[in-house]
Each structure stands twice: as structure tokens, then as C-alpha cells.
Amino acid sequence: MAGKTVKLFGLWLSPYALRVQWALHLKGIEYEYVEEDLANKSPLLLQYNPVHKKVPVLVHGEKSIAESPVIIEYIDETWKNNPLLPEDPYDRAMTRFWAKYAEEKCLPALFSVFSTVGEDQEKAIKEVQESMKVFERGLHGKRFFGGESIGFVDIIAGWFAYWVPLNEEVLGKTLVDERDLPELKRWFQDFLDTDWVKAILPPRDKLLAHLQGYREKFTSSSV
């Protein structure tokens, strides 16, 4: 299962593609990265992901896999070194639970904050804070959700550590307060301090400018 047989179709600002890159790096898998323009999708992207027609898509040999959580599980089951999911069935179930919680509760709340104004935004901020308080429980005093090392939940939700502070800067609002969420805030820092994590983060200034432009679309349309 050598490196040149693996390709990843992604987009520089996509946290979903970034997740897959982190999983590949953690496993030490060599791969070819293909940057996509979603305004002008390549024929290969449409061929490999005809259902959703979006990134990320992992191509391994002749097989293509879409949807980042599915891709990451495939990577973990195909390359056995540095396992992301625990062996114990209960621990695996709990890992999937917290990953699903991050996807279904924290993520929609974060997007809602970014796409609303006024009272709707204040309500969304409270939803973010409440969902993050629950999510923090998954750490159980551990350094990472995976224990002493980064695991599946960290890979799935790790982009929060980078995007949330940028969103706070764009919005001028506090979403994750160290006083209320000390464990989560500490996890943010520990995750971002990991060398192979920060090595492939999108450029901060470029991403911040993109988020500012994206936010302006919502504020201008609400006037």
C-alpha cells in the first residue's frame, strides 16, 4: 500500500479535507494532494464523488471514498499503525459518540453563529457554549480525547482549535471562554502545539481574510 497509490482531493480552506490530511500524516502515509476549485470542479472529482460532488475524496488504488469521517475510518482500518480508534468495543462506541456529537451539535451551532446577526446570533452563541460544555466532558481530564495521544475525535474536531479563535476575531465575540471551558481551551492549545498538526494548517492570514469576506455576505444581506 505504497504512497503513490493514494490521492487526496481537497481544498485549502476545507476543515474536512484537513482532517483527512491529519489522519494521513499521523499514519505516515505518502499521498498526492490534488487541490480542487469547487467553482470549476474537475472531471476526476465528479468521477470519484458522483453523489455529493465535493471534497474531500480519497483515492486508494482504484477505489474512491468520500465523506471525511468515513475516509478516516477507512484509513484507520487499512493502515494499522498508530490506531485512531481504540480496540475495546465500548471505548470505540464512546469515541464514535463524541465524534458524532461534535458533528451534529457543535458544528451546526458554530455555523449558525457565523451566519446570523442580532438576537439570533446571541442565541446561537449560547448554543455553541452549551454544546461545547457537553463536548468538553469527553476529555475526562485527559490530554486528548484519544488519551495521551491524538485519536479519532481529535482528528474529527481538531479544526475547532484553529477556526474558533479566528471566528471570534471576525465576530468580535467570545465563543470558548477559558473560565468556563478550561479543559477544552487547554486541548485547543495542546492540539495546535503538535508539530505535524500545525505543519499543514492553512495560512492564518489567508483564512482570516476569507472568513471576513464570508461574514460580510451575511451582514450585508441582513441590512
Side-chain angles (χ1 to χ4, degrees), residues 26-161:
L26 188 150
K27 293 281 188 175
I29 302 165
E30 294 183 11
Y31 64 98
E32 177 185 347
Y33 177 79
V34 181
E35 178 74 8
E36 278 290 332
D37 176 4
L38 296 186
N40 184 27
K41 298 172 184 177
S42 72
L44 280 178
L45 177 64
L46 299 178
Q47 173 190 331
Y48 288 132
N49 190 3
V51 176
H52 296 299
K53 302 176 183 178
K54 62 183 182 180
V55 296
V57 178
L58 186 80
V59 180
H60 182 206
E62 300 301 316
K63 299 174 289 189
S64 60
I65 306 99
E67 300 297 299
S68 58
V70 178
I71 294 171
I72 293 166
E73 287 215 37
Y74 174 83
I75 289 170
D76 199 39
E77 292 170 0
T78 303
W79 289 272
K80 301 296 186 182
N81 61 305
N82 300 327
L84 296 171
L85 284 158
E87 289 187 17
D88 180 80
Y90 177 78
D91 291 340
R92 287 172 75 89
M94 288 298 96
T95 295
R96 289 191 173 106
F97 171 85
W98 287 115
K100 191 174 179 67
Y101 186 89
E103 289 284 88
E104 294 185 354
K105 297 295 184 181
C106 301
L107 181 55
L110 285 168
F111 282 153
S112 182
V113 168
F114 212 73
S115 60
T116 54
V117 296
E119 291 183 4
D120 288 339
Q121 188 185 65
E122 292 303 317
K123 181 181 177 182
I125 289 172
K126 289 180 180 177
E127 290 176 1
V128 167
Q129 292 167 342
E130 289 304 313
S131 66
M132 289 293 185
K133 282 180 183 178
V134 175
F135 185 55
E136 186 184 53
R137 297 178 195 170
L139 282 167
H140 296 301
K142 299 175 293 186
R143 184 181 180 197
F144 298 108
F145 285 88
E148 285 303 306
S149 59
I150 288 172
F152 186 78
V153 178
D154 304 285
I155 293 290
I156 290 292
W159 66 274
F160 293 169

Side-chain angles (χ1 to χ4, degrees), residues 161-179:
Y162 196 56
W163 264 255
V164 166
L166 291 177
N167 286 348
E168 291 175 330
E169 187 170 339
V170 171
L171 299 170
K173 305 279 187 178
T174 299
L175 303 178
V176 177
D177 193 313
E178 188 171 10
R179 293 171 299 178

